[in-house]
Amino acid sequence: YQRRVHGSALHCNLDYITMPPTQAEIQKIKENFRRHDKDNDGTISPPEFNQMLHRMGVLLSPSDEQKLFKAMDLDSSGKIEVGEFIDHYHTILALEKRAEEKQMENLRSKTQFSSDEIKAMYANFKRIACAENDDGVIDKHEFRAMMMDSQLDAQRNTVFYDGLFRMFDRDGSGDIDFTEFVLALAVYHGKSQGHSVEDKARFLFSVYDVDGDGFISKDDLRKVLYDCLVSNDIAISQTDLANLVEATFQNMPSAASGRIDFEAFKRSKASQG
């Protein structure tokens, strides 16, 4: 049972011999197929195929993706049936493995994490990313679920959690991919290559800038402080909270306008985490 796989976009030719899948393996492959068959029509369409590859981190050029799809679509129906998927499953696994190796190489060059640490992060990332939608990324709901310790947490305001989410979502897409996940942790732990104090300050600034307008307003600070206190079971009246916010702004001369910009935040102790 020999198959030759060409992955020109990945600069590789993969030649290998595999044994036909066992019945147990076929069941797992079928489950995987159903997971990618989003409209449950018993086939994988080109858009579903594209989403599947992206979830697996396999980034091919449009022409190479089309060639791979046509190679798997043996009857030229325009869709991939389960039998065709089973026949080419090792091709997909080989491409996924190469993509993971390439991503690992890239992250090791950008951080000071070891290969074992990145592999552990990847296992954790995949667990979180499939909590609600198995789409290869962590959305805001999955992120909140990861951060919350109990059902009680779920009933509290999520301003602080949303701020943390912005720290990870570097491109502002609304989702966290694995690269963003690792790079955010690297900045927070001081393990990014060429790490600077400003990087971490900008990272933390995004937590307090609730509305994302580039400034920390009194309302931004009030929301974050309230969430932090409540999450630690510290009761505070709205009057005391307002006084705490006012005192914070009064201690920062550059915040006289009623809002704090990044430069002022960077000079404050809050930027040190």
Side-chain angles (χ1 to χ4, degrees):
Y1 190 70
Q2 184 171 2
R3 180 175 297 125
R4 179 183 296 268
V5 183
H6 298 286
S8 58
L10 297 176
H11 308 291
C12 65
N13 290 318
L14 303 173
D15 296 319
Y16 53 87
I17 297 175
T18 60
M19 296 298 293
T22 65
Q23 283 303 311
E25 288 173 332
I26 287 175
Q27 283 305 115
K28 288 183 180 179
I29 295 172
K30 285 181 176 179
E31 288 173 12
N32 199 14
F33 176 87
R34 285 192 289 271
R35 199 160 62 241
H36 299 305
D37 176 18
K38 293 300 182 181
D39 58 6
N40 298 312
D41 68 347
T43 65
I44 292 178
S45 64
E48 289 170 334
F49 187 70
N50 174 269
Q51 290 174 14
M52 178 189 77
L53 293 179
H54 275 265
R55 282 195 293 272
M56 297 168 73
V58 179
L59 304 179
L60 301 178
S61 68
S63 62
D64 283 330
E65 184 177 313
Q66 189 176 37
K67 287 176 185 175
L68 179 59
F69 186 89
K70 286 183 176 179
M72 294 178 67
D73 180 20
L74 298 175
D75 60 3
S76 301
S77 65
K79 293 187 176 183
I80 297 172
E81 287 86 20
V82 65
E84 295 169 331
F85 189 78
I86 292 170
D87 286 343
H88 290 83
Y89 192 65
H90 288 287
T91 301
I92 298 298
L93 290 183
L95 290 172
E96 181 181 31
K97 183 178 180 182
R98 176 56 65 93
E100 287 179 3
E101 289 171 352
K102 193 172 181 180
Q103 187 176 47
M104 180 80 68
E105 206 174 291
N106 179 49
L107 290 172
R108 284 207 61 192
S109 71
K110 291 183 177 179
T111 72
Q112 297 171 32
F113 289 127
S114 68
S115 294
D116 287 343
E117 286 174 323
I118 296 174
K119 286 177 183 176
M121 289 179 203
Y122 187 59
N124 195 35
F125 175 86
K126 287 203 295 185
R127 179 183 59 78
I128 300 164
C130 69
E132 293 189 18
N133 298 308
D134 188 9
D135 53 6
V137 293
I138 297 174
D139 62 28
K140 192 172 285 188
H141 297 293
E142 289 166 333
F143 185 83
R144 287 177 184 171
M146 173 186 75
M147 298 300 299
M148 293 173 182
D149 293 327
S150 64
Q151 188 60 36
L152 181 60
D153 271 348
Q155 297 169 4
R156 293 168 172 163
N157 291 332
T158 56
V159 174
F160 183 64
Y161 296 136
D162 289 347
L164 290 176
F165 183 85
R166 288 192 298 274
M167 291 167 66
F168 282 78
D169 182 21
R170 295 162 72 94
D171 62 4
S173 65
D175 294 306
I176 301 167
D177 61 30
F178 183 57
T179 296
E180 289 177 319
F181 187 74
V182 174
L183 293 181
L185 290 174
V187 171
Y188 185 75
H189 292 290
K191 284 200 166 190
S192 58
Q193 295 292 1
H195 174 73
S196 69
V197 174
E198 181 164 330
D199 288 336
K200 189 168 183 179
R202 194 170 294 281
F203 192 69
L204 294 171
F205 182 81
S206 63
V207 173
Y208 294 93
D209 181 15
V210 174
D211 56 11
D213 65 352
F215 297 92
I216 299 172
S217 66
K218 291 181 179 180
D219 191 49
D220 287 337
L221 184 58
R222 180 187 62 76
K223 289 176 179 176
V224 174
L225 287 177
Y226 181 76
D227 251 22
C228 288
L229 292 170
V230 168
S231 65
N232 286 284
D233 296 319
I234 299 174
I236 187 170
S237 69
Q238 289 300 315
T239 299
D240 287 341
L241 182 62
N243 290 337
L244 181 58
V245 170
E246 287 298 330
T248 301
F249 271 72
Q250 286 174 11
N251 287 330
M252 299 182 70
S254 55
S257 62
R259 56 185 191 173
I260 301 167
D261 62 17
F262 175 67
E263 290 302 318
F265 179 79
K266 189 170 66 173
R267 292 191 296 270
S268 72
K269 290 184 179 179
S271 69
Q272 299 170 20

